[in-house]
Amino acid sequence: MNEQELKRGSTEMLILALVEDRPRHGYEIAKLIESRSEGVLQFHAASLYPLLYRMEKRGLIRGRWVEKAGQRRRRYYKLTAAGQKILAEQRRTWADFFVALNRVAGISNA
Amino acid sequence: MLNFKKAIKERLTKLNLPAAREAEILEELLLHVEDRYQELTTSGLNQKEAARAAVAEVCEGNILIRQLERTERRGVEPIVLGEKKARNFLMDIGPDVRFALRGMRRNPTFSLVAVLTIAVGIGANVLIFSLVERILLSSLPYPESYRLVRLIQAYPENGLATWGLSHATFARLRDGNQSFESFAAYMNAGAVMTGSEKPEYLQTARVTADFFKVFGVNPILGRTFAPDEEKAGKNVVVLSYGLWQRRFGSDSQIVGRWLTIADVPTQVIGVMPASFRFPSPTTEMWLPITLDPQAMHPFMLTGVGRLKLNVSPASATADTTRVLFNAATETPEIISRKAPPPAGAGLKTIVTPMKEYIVGKIERPLLVLQIAVGFVLLIACANVANLLLSRATKRTQEISVRLALGAAPSRIIRQLLTESLLLATFGAALGVTVAWCSLRTVTRLFGQGIPRIDEARITGNVLLATLAATVFTGLLFGSIPALRTYALGLKSGLNDAQRSIAGFANRRLNSSLVVVQLALSLVLLIGASLMLKSFKRLMAINPGFETENVLTMIVPVSPNKGKETVALQFYEKLLENLKSVPGIRNAAITSTVPFSGFVNSDSHFVEGHEPKGEEAPQAHMTVVSPGYFKSMGISLLEGRDFQDSDRDGAPLVALVDETIAHQYFPNGDAIGKRIRTGDPEWYTIIGIVSPVKDQNLAEEFDPHIYFSYQQIGFAYGPGRDQRRMYLVVNTDNPSGIVPSIRERIRMVDQNVPMYAVNTMTEVINKKLESQRLINFLLTSFSVIALLLAAIGTYGVMSLFVSSRASEFAIRGALGATPGSLLNSVLKQGLWLAGLGTLLGLAGSWALTRAIATQLFGVSTTDATIFTGTAILLIIVTVIASYSPARRAARTDPAVVLRNS
């Protein structure tokens, strides 16, 4: 497995996880990744939006323009049923992966 | 301050998106940039810097455009996050190969087995294709060689299927035809070269002046024959490259030198290139024929012609047949008759393309072999495919993790195919090496019987074909497992029940591949068995003479050594001399030995049984010394053998074989009756001997008449240069006796060499060389195929057993006996064997007719062979399933259930 596959796969999962509990717009997603990872993971908009569009095409998330009073309209992304399934699967795979990594290399301090 | 909208729009325009979509993306990106700008200014950056940074995050470099391009245009292409450099198909090959190599190193046993299997499959194909390419596909080494033909004549009504040409026939054909650009004739001969070194018997060809012109080949030194050299019978010679190198050390001054050939001083006028090897690769020199256009017989010449452009062999046949018919009508003696041939007679010429003449007989056997090795390759592929499939189950986890982590499906499949192509490549490299070594062995072992085999090399064309075969092989055995592995990977995270369904589908695929393997190997086994049985039948035929203990050799005497009687005295002295050599039971001389390729036929007439019409029944004429029949182990059935007193001046006598005796004297009263050849003298029959085969074991006995050498001399010898006889010696120690014989020959005349020393077994074997090669290769391939199929069966049965371990454990726990578990696995194996056998029998039934013409005394659907090989296949399958079945029977429920 190469670094690229790792990055792409994990980013997808991050996005899915972030829109799991409620719809979010692009900027919000970028900010959340940064803040929740305490700055370790950063995301360039140049990559973020194309990825969102791609995930939308694959049916994992759905984007909708939402207008709120006194604000400009924004595009909010929401998790679809298919996205939900993939997210569950990826969580499991990653969990297995971390357990395996930990067994072998003792990475987590848990 | 920067105009955000303008900056983003400038970039998006490049994508040529639909206006609405562009506006939508622009709006979303603009929001992002503005939000970011806000954030940056709030955090204390000045407006200018904040604006530049916000725009840069979206617009810097090409990332946005390139990724949007993929998403918006191609839709399904994967998006790569944060990549820094372009990747493409070619750039991925390196990592793919490195990854595959790592995988191979991790599973050395698996890789080794796969590579060896492919090496066997590809190696066999390279070996056979290198023969096919050289012998069948490449043209003869002469300019526009497709225009070269061979010409002989046929007149079935005259007793012989085919005839050579006489000088007169040749001259008429050459002058009267409209088909040939040039036309010549040759005959094989031999001559003794004496002089400074030891006497040596050389194979020569007597040729007419245009011989070399027909082939369009120029000498590398000097010149070839001038037209007047065939008329005047000048003593000139053209040397072969081989002789020039071997005997004259490639002397560039050789032209003009005088050699003593057949006791005649003969001047070297030229040397041919190494590639010129006609009529035979063993021809060492060419001498001109002294052409006598009035000579109506013997019929010892063979015509060779270069067709004019756009003239086909068929129209050349029509043209030359017309010339021959006209000549025979004008001068019936030209075809050994007194009256012109009636209209509608079968008199004709036979014009055969030279390549067909040279390689025609080997064509079908070679194609059969090519198909056989094709089968071996398919079996090998099925084996490797099975190996990969069994690994597919083990790799499910790996593939599913990679998919989950974002690997594109196409990348994963490509990775898997790279692995199989890499296996194929290693296998092919090893296979080519093996083929290269075995090609040398094959040409060394079987070099003599098969035309052009010594030219076979692993050429660029062969390597190109190998490359194609390698890619084909890699994709063939790699694609199903790759798709399967990928499909299993997709289904990761499934529960055990679903997993076992996937496993079941996999097993079905495994089983189908094994069935195909078993069927293909059965076809090969049946084909090889048919050939072997046919060959055994052929070898079991009694040729009518002893083979093991009979040593033969040519002992040629120079023609100009005085008169014929002097030469005959030499042989008489030699035979007398050999009597005292210990170990020699009997020795005799003869004008020819069976299967030497030299047969002299002539018409014969039995007194009181002369044919009414024009027919002239033919028989093989052999001139022998007393003791010949004893030396050869031919039985004297009635009467007496020749004696030393049957010589010039004594009453003329002959022996006939049983075939003639039965035909003319069914009452058994042949002795004392008289027989003659085309000449007027009558010979009294003094004995009857058992019949012999002398050309083809598979054919009926030809009639034979034997004459005493002291009465008829060299009349039935091979021609002017060849005052020669075969010496046949009956001894228990054929190889050990050779030096003593050489010594005795030298004692009688030190200028007489000996040549072509062989036992009769070797003489016959040379004749059967090509058949031996085909049998050897076909048998080897079918054994390899059977082994591969057995390995395949073993592998798949093991897989079954290990994947069903818990089932066996439960059954064992519920009280199933080890015997019943063993049986249930063996039954599975038998199922595969049964299906494979049925399929294989059906395939064989359809395919073996392709070798019908190669078989002797065996039907293409020989019941014994079909049944026997089917049983063999089933036994092998059961053996291959036995050890996995034992493992199943020994399953310890406690251990398996605890681990699962």
Side-chain angles (χ1 to χ4, degrees):
Chain A
M1 177 171 32
N2 60 37
E3 194 190 356
Q4 247 179 66
E5 287 180 5
L6 192 72
K7 270 195 205 162
R8 192 197 322 149
S10 55
T11 317
E12 259 185 38
M13 186 178 63
L14 292 178
I15 292 171
L16 290 173
L18 287 175
V19 297
E20 190 183 15
D21 46 353
R22 66 182 181 82
R24 297 183 195 276
H25 57 75
Y27 189 70
E28 196 182 357
I29 293 171
K31 284 290 102 186
L32 278 173
I33 290 178
E34 201 177 328
S35 64
R36 288 199 184 167
S37 72
E38 294 171 358
V40 174
L41 301 174
Q42 285 196 353
F43 223 123
H44 278 237
S47 294
L48 173 65
Y49 287 94
L51 180 55
L52 286 172
Y53 300 157
R54 152 118 178 118
M55 288 170 69
E56 193 177 4
K57 274 199 171 176
R58 283 170 59 201
L60 305 180
I61 52 175
R62 201 155 62 83
R64 221 153 40 105
W65 290 101
V66 176
E67 277 181 72
K68 290 187 180 168
Q71 286 182 17
R72 289 162 63 180
R73 68 169 191 161
R74 284 181 181 275
R75 198 165 159 80
Y76 280 81
Y77 294 91
K78 185 183 147 192
L79 193 64
T80 64
Q84 185 75 58
K85 232 171 103 185
I86 294 283
L87 178 60
E89 205 172 274
Q90 293 203 353
R91 276 192 169 125
R92 198 170 45 236
T93 307
W94 277 92
D96 288 351
F97 185 51
F98 282 130
V99 170
L101 283 182
N102 190 35
R103 273 193 198 136
V104 177
I107 286 173
S108 102
N109 46 12
Chain B
M1 193 179 105
L2 267 171
N3 183 341
F4 295 149
K5 192 169 179 179
K6 192 178 156 207
I8 300 170
K9 195 174 162 59
E10 259 175 15
R11 286 174 170 74
L12 286 182
T13 326
K14 291 179 194 162
L15 289 170
N16 282 324
L17 297 173
R21 180 68 182 144
E22 187 184 307
E24 199 175 37
I25 296 176
L26 179 64
E27 184 179 349
E28 194 173 13
L29 291 177
L30 192 58
L31 274 169
H32 184 105
V33 173
E34 284 170 4
D35 282 349
R36 183 71 177 140
Y37 171 75
Q38 212 70 52
E39 187 193 335
L40 290 172
T41 45
T42 317
S43 70
L45 234 61
N46 69 43
Q47 288 190 349
K48 203 172 165 189
E49 279 172 9
R52 192 180 301 134
V55 171
E57 279 179 21
V58 176
C59 300
E60 205 173 58
N62 261 339
I63 299 172
L64 177 73
I65 300 307
R66 208 171 50 238
Q67 297 201 5
L68 277 178
E69 203 166 29
R70 287 188 186 177
T71 314
E72 297 298 315
R73 291 241 182 103
R74 296 188 212 152
V76 285
E77 271 297 303
I79 293 170
V80 180
L81 176 74
E83 67 173 357
K84 287 286 184 283
K85 59 179 181 182
R87 303 186 68 83
N88 58 35
F89 180 78
L90 285 174
M91 294 181 71
D92 282 334
I93 284 183
D96 278 356
V97 168
R98 274 198 298 278
F99 188 88
L101 282 174
R102 264 209 308 275
M104 286 174 75
R105 270 202 300 275
R106 265 204 308 270
N107 289 302
T109 318
F110 168 86
S111 313
L112 188 70
V113 171
V115 165
L116 285 179
T117 310
I118 296 303
V120 168
I122 291 202
N125 275 273
V126 172
L127 173 66
I128 298 304
F129 188 67
S130 63
L131 299 182
V132 168
E133 195 264 343
R134 178 52 40 179
I135 299 175
L136 300 185
L137 300 183
S138 70
S139 48
L140 298 176
Y142 311 114
E144 295 179 47
S145 59
Y146 61 92
R147 287 164 62 193
L148 296 177
V149 294
R150 169 186 192 258
L151 185 149
I152 51 172
Q153 56 176 333
Y155 191 10
E157 289 92 333
N158 228 22
L160 274 183
T162 59
W163 297 31
L165 308 178
S166 66
H167 286 211
T169 324
F170 165 71
R172 302 285 186 105
L173 287 171
R174 180 176 63 180
D175 301 339
N177 84 80
Q178 285 163 7
S179 310
F180 298 113
E181 200 173 275
S182 46
F183 185 65
Y186 70 89
M187 78 183 233
N188 284 310
V192 178
M193 180 163 74
T194 45
S196 53
E197 290 178 58
K198 68 177 170 75
E200 190 182 354
Y201 181 82
L202 300 173
Q203 279 202 34
T204 65
R206 286 271 172 190
V207 303
T208 59
D210 273 353
F211 179 77
F212 296 102
K213 194 175 151 199
V214 167
F215 289 92
V217 178
N218 293 319
I220 52 168
L221 281 181
R223 61 174 177 90
T224 56
F225 303 123
D228 68 314
E229 279 163 341
E230 81 179 13
K231 281 178 195 133
K234 293 229 178 101
N235 296 318
V236 287
V237 62
V238 174
L239 305 183
S240 76
Y241 188 85
L243 182 69
W244 176 58
Q245 268 198 324
R246 181 170 65 77
R247 270 298 288 257
F248 305 103
S250 309
D251 177 5
S252 57
Q253 304 299 313
I254 188 78
V255 172
R257 228 168 100 178
W258 290 86
L259 309 175
T260 309
I261 295 167
D263 281 346
V264 178
T266 308
Q267 192 172 31
V268 177
I269 57 165
V271 176
M272 292 307 286
S275 60
F276 191 81
R277 296 139 52 97
F278 195 88
S280 148
T282 51
T283 305
E284 298 198 284
M285 50 172 63
W286 295 268
L287 300 154
I289 285 180
T290 309
L291 197 69
D292 174 8
Q294 301 311 316
M296 310 283 185
H297 62 90
F299 300 94
M300 302 280 276
L301 301 179
T302 303
V304 284
R306 176 173 285 271
L307 293 171
K308 285 180 183 162
L309 276 176
N310 303 323
V311 173
S312 69
S315 61
T317 308
D319 173 41
T320 48
T321 296
R322 177 188 55 78
V323 176
L324 181 63
F325 217 97
N326 290 345
T329 310
E330 226 172 79
T331 325
E333 294 78 16
I334 209 167
I335 51 165
S336 280
R337 292 176 65 116
K338 295 192 187 75
L347 178 66
K348 62 173 184 187
T349 59
I350 298 176
V351 178
T352 320
M354 193 58 84
K355 191 172 158 195
E356 185 186 320
Y357 167 67
I358 293 177
V359 303
K361 275 193 193 146
I362 196 77
E363 186 170 359
R364 181 160 283 238
L366 273 182
L367 292 181
V368 167
L369 278 180
Q370 187 69 69
I371 293 172
V373 290
F375 280 13
V376 173
L377 185 58
L378 286 181
I379 293 172
C381 281
N383 249 9
V384 180
N386 256 340
L387 279 174
L388 289 170
L389 271 177
S390 65
R391 218 170 52 143
T393 336
K394 290 182 191 145
R395 289 182 74 175
T396 312
Q397 202 61 27
E398 174 200 336
I399 303 293
S400 66
V401 168
R402 290 181 59 192
L403 278 171
L405 297 182
S410 60
R411 287 284 291 112
I412 289 193
I413 290 186
R414 219 176 69 201
Q415 173 65 56
L416 292 170
L417 283 180
T418 306
E419 290 175 23
S420 52
L421 282 174
L422 205 64
L423 287 175
T425 308
F426 281 122
L430 188 60
V432 168
T433 318
V434 171
W436 186 74
C437 299
S438 36
L439 182 63
R440 296 177 139 218
T441 315
V442 163
T443 44
R444 197 161 41 86
L445 286 180
F446 300 95
Q448 299 203 327
I450 294 162
R452 307 186 79 190
I453 193 171
D454 53 335
E455 297 171 37
R457 300 278 182 281
I458 294 176
T459 58
N461 284 344
V462 174
L463 288 179
L464 218 60
T466 309
L467 186 67
T470 306
V471 174
F472 170 77
T473 312
L475 292 179
L476 187 67
F477 70 69
S479 55
I480 297 177
L483 290 173
R484 198 78 210 134
T485 311
Y486 170 64
L488 283 177
L490 267 189
K491 290 185 181 146
S492 77
L494 301 178
N495 60 34
D496 284 348
Q498 285 166 308
R499 250 182 225 280
S500 82
I501 291 170
F504 177 73
N506 222 17
R507 283 210 299 270
R508 214 165 44 194
L509 209 53
N510 285 136
S511 308
S512 320
L513 287 172
V514 165
V515 167
V516 169
Q517 280 186 310
L518 291 173
L520 287 175
S521 55
L522 184 59
V523 173
L524 284 185
L525 274 179
I526 289 180
S529 309
L530 287 173
M531 297 291 269
L532 284 182
K533 187 167 179 184
S534 150
F535 194 67
K536 219 177 131 204
R537 285 258 159 104
L538 204 60
M539 291 308 284
I541 290 176
N542 180 0
F545 52 84
E546 229 178 276
T547 52
E548 286 301 329
N549 298 323
V550 179
L551 186 70
T552 75
M553 67 203 73
I554 298 174
V555 181
V557 179
S558 286
N560 293 15
K561 223 174 192 63
K563 291 182 183 155
E564 185 171 299
T565 45
V566 177
L568 291 176
Q569 275 163 17
F570 162 80
Y571 290 116
E572 202 174 1
K573 265 189 225 157
L574 176 63
L575 289 178
E576 190 54 41
N577 224 302
L578 288 174
K579 277 185 187 158
S580 58
V581 176
I584 294 186
R585 265 194 297 270
N586 278 294
I589 59 155
T590 170
S591 55
T592 184
V593 293
F595 294 92
S596 62
F598 177 73
V599 162
N600 204 325
S601 301
D602 198 353
S603 41
H604 71 281
F605 306 96
V606 174
E607 198 172 24
H609 293 82
E610 284 92 345
K612 294 185 185 75
E614 275 290 318
E615 306 110 64
Q618 300 285 314
H620 294 182
M621 307 296 177
T622 313
V623 179
V624 303
S625 71
Y628 170 73
F629 303 108
K630 264 192 193 151
S631 307
M632 287 294 288
I634 299 172
S635 326
L636 179 68
L637 303 174
E638 231 182 288
R640 67 165 177 89
D641 187 7
F642 295 116
Q643 296 166 349
D644 285 334
S645 57
D646 295 324
R647 54 175 61 236
D648 222 6
L652 296 174
V653 288
L655 275 89
V656 296
D657 69 2
E658 215 181 0
T659 315
I660 289 192
H662 267 303
Q663 189 187 341
Y664 295 99
F665 309 102
N667 301 327
D669 50 353
I671 307 285
K673 298 292 185 326
R674 299 204 303 167
I675 194 166
R676 70 171 173 88
T677 64
D679 295 325
E681 302 86 17
W682 289 101
Y683 294 77
T684 305
I685 299 174
I686 55 164
I688 300 170
V689 291
S690 55
V692 296
K693 305 216 172 186
D694 53 10
Q695 299 197 84
N696 189 334
L697 285 173
E699 281 170 11
E700 294 295 304
F701 289 110
D702 283 318
H704 287 78
I705 304 174
Y706 299 92
F707 300 98
S708 164
Y709 82 115
Q710 292 287 18
Q711 293 188 329
I712 207 164
F714 298 95
Y716 288 111
R720 184 181 101 114
D721 308 324
Q722 302 196 36
R723 191 158 287 180
R724 66 162 205 199
M725 290 279 182
Y726 279 87
L727 178 66
V728 291
V729 172
N730 195 308
T731 168
D732 280 334
N733 181 13
S735 52
I737 204 85
V738 175
S740 339
I741 298 176
R742 183 176 286 127
E743 182 54 37
R744 297 300 162 119
I745 294 174
R746 201 174 296 148
M747 278 167 64
V748 181
D749 185 339
Q750 59 175 3
N751 271 332
V752 174
M754 60 195 266
Y755 178 76
V757 183
N758 290 301
T759 62
M760 276 316 291
T761 313
E762 288 164 342
V763 172
I764 294 181
N765 283 351
K766 268 184 198 160
K767 208 66 183 173
L768 298 173
E769 200 91 293
S770 66
Q771 223 161 337
R772 264 175 206 282
L773 173 67
I774 308 298
N775 288 342
F776 170 74
L777 291 176
L778 200 56
T779 310
S780 316
F781 294 147
S782 62
V783 170
I784 290 173
L786 185 66
L787 276 178
L788 288 177
I791 293 171
T793 312
Y794 172 80
V796 167
M797 293 310 292
S798 303
L799 194 66
F800 282 178
V801 170
S802 61
S803 66
R804 287 168 62 192
S806 38
E807 179 201 326
F808 292 126
I810 292 170
R811 284 169 62 183
L814 293 177
T817 61
S820 68
L821 293 179
L822 185 97
N823 281 344
S824 81
V825 176
L826 283 183
K827 219 182 272 172
Q828 183 92 33
L830 274 175
W831 251 110
L832 297 179
L835 278 176
T837 306
L838 280 182
L839 216 70
L841 287 177
S844 305
W845 192 80
L847 289 175
T848 49
R849 56 192 68 176
I851 53 169
T853 51
Q854 314 293 315
L855 297 181
F856 168 76
V858 182
S859 141
T860 54
T861 52
D862 187 280
T864 329
I865 286 178
F866 272 57
T867 328
T869 45
I871 292 174
L872 175 68
L873 188 75
I874 290 173
I875 291 176
V876 168
T877 322
V878 170
I879 293 175
S881 318
Y882 188 74
S883 130
R886 290 248 308 195
R887 231 174 297 142
R890 284 181 180 164
T891 309
D892 181 349
V895 173
V896 174
L897 296 176
R898 199 179 311 129
N899 290 344
S900 64

